[in-house]
């Protein structure tokens, strides 16, 4: 398995969950542009992650953070606050995920050789990471974004909770 495929499997699902959450927390004016830019940036980031330096990855990370700020409506400080807080949530999902990885594999770092050796653990840890990230972003959305809406009630929170979920055909 190539390093690029490992990076795609390890980062793209997380970035999709993260972008989806931001698209629900912010009033994105051009949703098509948002998803096109986010998907291109996340695929380029994942595909070249193992071959490019820190500067390249930093540039793409900043670009992915700027896209929702630029394409959303509302006050600029609010948009920056929501994106920054979501990144703090993402940061705090990394610690328990790392602890689970170390507990399952005994490896300190998930390098490419360790992932190849412990592919099942890698997939389970990333599934755990996605569940944790989705749960914490949902809580953030309920506590921060919904709480600022006029007419905030328990019924409106339940209704908005179902708005956060993807539409099923």
């Amino acid at each position: 398995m190539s390093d690029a495929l490992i990076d795609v499997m390890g980062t793209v699902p997380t970035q999709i969950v993260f972008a989806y959450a931001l698209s629900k927390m912010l009033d994105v004016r051009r949703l098509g542009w948002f998803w096109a830019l986010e998907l291109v940036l996340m695929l380029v980031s994942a595909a070249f992650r193992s071959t490019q330096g820190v500067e390249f990855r930093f540039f793409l990370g900043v670009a992915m953070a700027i896209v929702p700020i630029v394409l959303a409506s509302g006050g600029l400080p609010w948009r920056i606050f929501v994106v920054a807080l979501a990144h703090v949530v993402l940061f705090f999902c990394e610690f328990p995920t790392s602890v689970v990885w170390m507990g399952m594999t005994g490896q300190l770092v998930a390098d490419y050789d360790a992932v190849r050796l412990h592919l099942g653990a890698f997939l389970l840890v990333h599934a755990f990471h996605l569940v944790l990230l989705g749960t914490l972003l949902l809580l953030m959305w309920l506590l921060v974004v919904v709480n600022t809406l006029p007419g905030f009630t328990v019924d409106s929170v339940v209704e908005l909770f179902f708005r956060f979920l993807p539409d099923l055909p």
Side-chain angles (χ1 to χ4, degrees):
M1 178 178 307
S2 72
D3 293 351
L5 182 57
I6 290 171
D7 285 330
V8 168
M9 289 178 9
T11 62
V12 171
T14 298
Q15 291 170 338
I16 288 173
V17 167
F18 191 77
Y20 177 78
L22 287 175
S23 75
K24 293 296 184 178
M25 287 187 245
L26 297 168
D27 183 22
V28 179
R29 292 176 300 219
R30 301 195 190 271
L31 207 51
W33 277 104
F34 170 81
W35 279 111
L37 290 169
E38 287 288 329
L39 287 171
V40 166
L41 289 168
M42 68 179 70
L43 289 173
V44 168
S45 173
F48 298 106
R49 182 181 172 107
S50 63
T51 60
Q52 297 299 320
V54 173
E55 299 85 9
F56 179 76
R57 293 192 306 265
F58 178 78
F59 169 76
L60 287 175
V62 169
M64 283 189 280
I66 289 174
V67 167
I69 293 170
V70 170
L71 293 180
S73 60
L76 181 61
W78 174 251
R79 290 178 279 160
I80 292 171
F81 171 74
V82 168
V83 171
L85 187 58
H87 277 88
V88 169
V89 167
L90 179 62
F91 174 78
F92 280 104
C93 286
E94 298 296 326
F95 177 74
T97 304
S98 298
V99 170
V100 170
W101 170 260
M102 287 185 282
M104 290 178 76
T105 66
Q107 302 284 326
L108 292 178
V109 178
D111 65 18
Y112 297 112
D113 292 330
V115 168
R116 286 184 193 92
L117 184 62
H118 304 285
L119 187 58
F122 174 78
L123 296 174
L124 285 173
V125 166
H126 277 282
F128 168 68
H129 185 262
L130 287 173
V131 169
L132 181 62
L133 178 64
T135 302
L136 292 178
L137 287 171
L138 178 59
L139 286 173
M140 175 192 153
W141 179 70
L142 288 171
L143 295 173
V144 175
V145 178
V146 174
N147 198 25
T148 63
L149 297 174
F152 176 72
T153 65
V154 173
D155 290 338
S156 65
V157 170
V158 171
E159 181 182 330
L160 289 171
F161 171 79
F162 288 105
R163 179 179 170 235
F164 190 84
L165 299 174
D167 293 330
L168 298 174

